[in-house]
Amino acid sequence: MSGSELHVSVARPPVEAEHASLLALEHVLSTANNIVDDPPTPFPEYATDLRGRTSWSFWWD
C-alpha cells in the first residue's frame, strides 16, 4: 500500500468465468476509482481480464 494505492499479489487468481464475475463485483463495490475511471472499463471486460492475473492494482482519490 502506498498513499491511495493498493497493489496486490494474487497466488490463486480466478480461472472460472463465474468466479471472476463475483470477484469483479467485489472490486467494483470497493469503489476503487481505477475500475470505473482509469480508463472506463465495461464490467464484463473487467471480469474477463481478472482471469489468470496474478497482480491487481487499485487506487482511490
Side-chain angles (χ1 to χ4, degrees):
M1 182 143 199
S2 172
S4 61
E5 297 180 15
L6 175 65
H7 302 278
V8 180
S9 176
V10 182
R12 293 180 48 181
V15 291
E16 304 282 331
E18 181 181 357
H19 296 150
S21 290
L22 290 172
L23 181 62
L25 180 59
E26 290 180 16
H27 288 188
V28 169
L29 293 175
S30 76
T31 66
N33 293 44
N34 63 304
I35 297 167
V36 293
D37 294 336
D38 186 29
T41 306
F43 182 83
E45 184 179 322
Y46 181 76
T48 299
D49 188 46
L50 288 175
R51 293 174 72 179
R53 277 188 47 204
T54 57
S55 64
W56 304 332
S57 296
F58 307 93
W59 63 268
W60 294 263
D61 280 337

